[in-house]
Amino acid sequence: MAARKPALACSLLRLIARNAQRIPPLPLACTLALAAPAALAQPAPTNSPPAVGQSAASSYDASRHDALIVARREGRIDATEALNQLTAWLASPLDDDARRRVASDAVAIASADGRYAQAVALGRQATPAKLADYALAPLALAARRARDSGLQGEVVGVWRARQPDAREPRVHEAWWRIESGDIAGAKALYRALSQPAPTRVDDRVALLELRGALARTDKDLLQALGAYTEAGALWPGRLDLRREADFLLAASGAASSAFENAEAAERATPSSFSPLALSTLQQEALAQRLRWAIRARDQRLGAERVVALDRVLADQEAALARVDAAAPKAEPGDADAWRTVRVRLQSDRLLALVERGRPADAIALHDTLRAAGTELPAYGLQAAARAFAQERRSIDAVPLYEAAMAKGGADMPMPDEVHYGLVYAYLDVGRFADAEALLDRLEAATPAQMRLAPEAGRPNGEYTEVSGLRGLVQLYSDRPALAQRSFSVLTREAPLNAGYAQGAALTARLREHPEAALARYEALAADSPYDTGARIGHVEALLDADEFAEARRRAESLAADLPDSVQVREMERKRRALVGPRLDVDAEASSGGAAIASREWRIDSRLSSGLIDDRWRVFYEQSLGRGSTDIGNANWARGGLGLGWQQGRWLAEGIVQHANAGPYRNSVAGRLDYRAGDAWRLSATYDGDSKELPWKARVAGIGAHELGASVGYVVDESRRFDLKWQQLDFSDGNRRDGLDASWRERWISTPAFQLETSLGAGASRGRAVEAPYFNPSSDSSVQLGVRAQWLNWKRDDRQFFQVVELAGGSYRQAGFGSGPMWSLRYEHRWNFGPRLTLRYGAFVSGHPYDGVRERQRGVFLNLSTPLQ
């Protein structure tokens, strides 16, 4: 037999009383049973196959009707058998009284068994005006459960007309007004029903249910919970009151307790909760546990921080298995509710996977749901967008963030995490104007002081976040000067704000002030030792300052403390690329410069090991080239094995090298660099077989030693001054000394365009000896260059630029006077994050040599890539 419903006994007793006239009218609360939301209020009816016996085929008779009702009341037949017989009778010829009675009983039994859609269909077929009084309450309830407010109002109207002073139809009218949105009318009826206060238990319970429903419409969940709890205490046998209290408990922030209560009640009294009700409460409980697990993770370090998250993920799998097993067996009318529960569970799982640091798994789940046509809620879309952003696929994250905003609509607060995520996603795909427009909206919607606060002038915490976001957007869109001004103001107004301090430290890094950046991050480490963003930034600042050992120690500490963090894994990937083995290649070919070489090409490559003991590198260098001149051709090949040491401000390298020809085919080379603070850069070099040797000198079998020194003064990333000295000591007795000074200035820096100039002047002097190569006794030059760079494509840390450089000036050579010189260079530059940097392009230049103007054309390629 089908499981009995809480209202079944009430409905059947009323049915018997009205038919047999042997039992007095039942209490009002029997007709108001199952006042919880429709599909969640009670277990779904058992769908047993109808038993068709001899009575099913018999013609209608009042005695058979009485026997059928008694059999149903005593449980000898289930609702399916009873309804099959009653609907069979309705299909046969009946007089008006018999049809009225059969239809009324069918409506009552269907409603009592939770078959609200069938009860509504039967009620509409018979029309409420032709039903008996005892069928009106079940039909009104069924119409409310099926959300058929039209039929519900029609039933209430018929009922009130028949019993204008009765209490029960007025209660149902109040429910109908709530369902129809007439809250004021429902409250007026509630006040009328409350005066005087009822004394009968059933009337008090009905009034408490109504009070709970009205409190729910006012979003006063605690008052609603109190009303249903009090009603349940008055009538402990009403399981539907217990269910409603548990749902309100879940909605009030205690979903885990509500689900535990429901499971305990189901174990004690099977069928107390329907499978749909249990799955709904389980989803809400898991969503709450997920929020707790995220907070617990953020307050812990090490592997323990994700234990609660892993438990939630495991329980989500079990909950989804329960839904997948129960949903196919459910009533068709509950399909949407089951679908909603499943979508919420899947959305919660998306969020859990992202928070667990498993964005690839979250993306796979999202793709599966999208292929199935699943429509995710706003928070599910946001979780999927975060997963794509963490996987550096912001081009896929942007439409998901936008969809989440659209779905959230006016109910989504501003600012929200969705807005922050979308701003960064816009930046990552090069939609800078959209990022600025959204940031402007956030600033307009976020005043410095809270609009609604217990006292006037209370600061708005969200304003702090939006203000910091403005500085970060300026920084990430290549406007560091503006960012520095922004964070300077913010840190002055809020010196203890860790977010502002991080922004100021990051600005110092990107403005090429490694020492200042380190100082800021060290202060942050003292003030906010567990701030993940500050710790990651500190590692990156140490790498900028070449403090590789300390960077490694802090990176390992981060990885141990936050093994699930996507940001930490990304930082470690960048660190490994920087300190690991690397291949660098520079290649160039040109023709047309007869004074130097009519045709030439050269490839310089360097293969470096990873850092050894955080300081040492072993490397191999090779240079290959060929030059064609009017006095002959030369092929040059040189290889060398070297050792480098890099620690903090110092860099030292030494190399032993061997060439295929020349007087200095076996030689050594070295380099020493020193960073004297954030401003000064000092360098000295020596090469026993200079790469700068003219091709005609190589043809003649001449070699040269090279000495060099330089001083650089760095103001910031947009301004630099350099002074360089070079000496070539030729094996033929000639010696050439040169001095060059330069000034580089960036004038325009926007997200998509940069413009900078360079002004250089140089002079050189050589010994007055006859030489087969170009060898002026003295010469000098001055040149102004303009460089323009456009960003044409951006996908996260991958970028494509076009660069045009134009330079012009004057060259003076002793004995030949002055003449113009110029150059034009076009370049493509690809940055693929830390994995690869590729530059290639073409150039053309004009230069006078010994009074003859020559034009040179060429191509070039530069490649740098880590090998791990």
Side-chain angles (χ1 to χ4, degrees), residues 617-693:
R617 285 186 192 269
V618 177
F619 59 88
Y620 175 76
E621 283 190 351
Q622 185 179 68
S623 296
L624 300 174
R626 176 179 174 83
S628 299
T629 72
D630 54 6
I631 64 171
N633 301 328
N635 294 313
W636 188 57
R638 189 183 74 181
L641 186 64
L643 180 66
W645 179 85
Q646 195 170 3
Q647 172 63 47
R649 297 183 175 188
W650 291 94
L651 168 65
E653 291 181 350
I655 184 170
V656 177
Q657 52 199 15
H658 173 74
N660 65 328
Y664 305 130
R665 66 178 59 188
N666 296 312
S667 61
V668 296
R671 170 186 172 190
L672 182 65
D673 292 349
Y674 178 67
R675 187 182 70 248
D678 281 338
W680 293 98
R681 308 287 192 270
L682 307 176
S683 180
T685 60
Y686 171 77
D687 190 346
D689 186 14
S690 175
K691 291 182 181 180
E692 303 300 320
L693 186 70

Side-chain angles (χ1 to χ4, degrees), residues 87-417:
T87 53
W89 283 337
L90 285 173
S92 64
L94 298 173
D95 59 38
D96 291 343
D97 289 340
R99 183 170 297 278
R100 176 188 181 93
R101 182 184 172 196
V102 172
S104 299
D105 290 347
V107 167
I109 291 175
S111 181
D113 199 56
R115 304 175 183 229
Y116 301 122
Q118 186 175 3
V120 166
L122 290 166
R124 284 196 172 277
Q125 181 181 359
T127 71
K130 295 181 180 179
L131 293 176
D133 289 353
Y134 67 83
L136 295 178
L139 183 56
L141 179 65
R144 181 155 63 90
R145 295 292 181 265
R147 302 188 183 278
D148 190 340
S149 59
L151 178 62
Q152 185 183 2
E154 185 180 351
V155 173
V156 168
V158 170
W159 201 359
R160 287 297 307 273
R162 292 182 186 178
Q163 302 175 17
D165 298 325
R167 185 180 184 86
E168 187 176 1
R170 286 190 292 164
V171 172
H172 273 276
E173 181 183 355
W175 282 105
W176 170 67
R177 291 187 180 277
I178 291 174
E179 299 292 331
S180 302
D182 183 10
I183 307 303
K187 288 181 177 179
L189 278 170
Y190 171 77
R191 288 191 294 269
L193 291 165
S194 303
Q195 300 297 329
T199 57
R200 289 176 45 162
V201 170
D202 55 304
D203 290 338
R204 291 170 62 190
V205 169
L207 200 60
L208 285 168
E209 288 184 83
L210 192 56
R211 189 178 82 188
L214 288 170
R216 190 198 290 272
T217 63
D218 290 336
K219 302 187 184 303
D220 190 346
L221 300 182
L222 291 180
Q223 184 178 0
L225 176 61
Y228 279 101
T229 302
E230 185 179 349
L234 288 172
W235 198 332
R238 285 278 305 279
L239 297 179
D240 60 298
L241 296 175
R242 168 70 177 274
R243 287 192 293 270
E244 184 69 14
D246 282 338
F247 279 109
L248 285 166
L249 186 64
S252 301
S256 293
S257 297
F259 178 59
E260 291 173 2
N261 292 344
E263 281 199 312
E266 181 67 16
R267 286 193 297 267
T269 308
S271 299
S272 296
F273 284 79
S274 70
L276 178 57
L278 285 173
S279 289
T280 300
L281 284 173
Q282 186 177 25
Q283 180 272 321
E284 294 178 0
L286 286 171
Q288 186 177 68
R289 284 177 53 198
L290 174 58
R291 293 190 292 271
W292 291 344
I294 293 170
R295 295 192 188 101
R297 177 206 61 191
D298 293 342
Q299 294 171 1
R300 292 186 174 93
L301 298 175
E304 291 184 358
R305 64 189 248 112
V306 295
V307 170
L309 270 172
D310 287 338
R311 288 174 181 163
V312 169
L313 282 166
D315 290 344
Q316 285 174 340
E317 288 185 7
L320 284 166
R322 168 186 275 183
V323 169
D324 291 340
K329 305 174 185 177
E331 287 288 310
D334 293 340
D336 288 342
W338 277 108
R339 192 177 301 110
T340 298
V341 172
R342 194 177 196 284
V343 168
R344 287 177 178 171
L345 278 170
Q346 297 282 30
S347 298
D348 293 341
R349 187 163 181 79
L350 274 173
L351 179 59
L353 288 170
V354 171
E355 295 291 349
R356 180 59 179 85
R358 294 166 54 184
D361 293 336
I363 291 172
L365 175 57
H366 169 264
D367 291 344
T368 300
L369 294 173
R370 183 180 59 181
T374 304
E375 186 174 347
L376 296 175
Y379 76 92
L381 293 168
Q382 180 189 0
R386 287 178 57 195
F388 280 109
Q390 289 176 0
E391 285 289 281
R392 312 305 287 161
R393 293 173 57 183
S394 295
I395 192 66
D396 297 309
V398 166
L400 290 171
Y401 276 125
E402 291 175 334
M405 282 180 55
K407 183 154 287 190
D411 295 332
M412 179 173 288
M414 182 176 280
D416 185 83
E417 291 300 324

Side-chain angles (χ1 to χ4, degrees), residues 660-820:
N660 65 328
Y664 305 130
R665 66 178 59 188
N666 296 312
S667 61
V668 296
R671 170 186 172 190
L672 182 65
D673 292 349
Y674 178 67
R675 187 182 70 248
D678 281 338
W680 293 98
R681 308 287 192 270
L682 307 176
S683 180
T685 60
Y686 171 77
D687 190 346
D689 186 14
S690 175
K691 291 182 181 180
E692 303 300 320
L693 186 70
W695 284 109
K696 289 184 178 181
R698 294 191 186 280
V699 172
I702 299 170
H705 302 309
E706 178 186 336
L707 281 172
S710 66
V711 178
Y713 182 79
V714 179
V715 179
D716 48 46
E717 87 295 338
S718 65
R719 181 178 298 165
R720 176 171 179 146
F721 301 92
D722 286 285
L723 181 64
K724 297 180 181 179
W725 168 78
Q726 182 190 54
Q727 182 185 84
L728 288 176
D729 190 0
F730 294 87
S731 61
D732 64 353
N734 187 23
R735 190 174 70 185
R736 186 160 204 87
D737 294 285
L739 188 66
D740 292 284
S742 65
W743 164 35
R744 183 185 62 82
E745 184 82 19
R746 182 181 299 175
W747 301 97
I748 299 175
S749 186
T750 69
F753 177 73
Q754 293 178 357
L755 181 70
E756 62 184 44
T757 60
S758 59
L759 179 63
S764 66
R765 182 180 298 276
R767 287 181 178 176
V769 298
E770 291 294 329
Y773 49 88
F774 179 69
N775 181 39
S777 59
S778 65
D779 61 355
S780 61
S781 65
V782 61
Q783 181 170 264
L784 175 65
V786 179
R787 182 180 188 272
Q789 175 178 285
W790 291 267
L791 174 65
N792 296 105
W793 177 84
K794 188 177 191 300
R795 293 294 182 269
D796 300 292
D797 54 358
R798 294 160 293 166
Q799 303 164 315
F800 168 61
F801 298 91
Q802 292 189 79
V803 181
V804 175
E805 293 184 58
L806 177 63
S810 177
Y811 174 75
R812 179 185 174 280
Q813 180 181 347
F816 294 93
S818 300

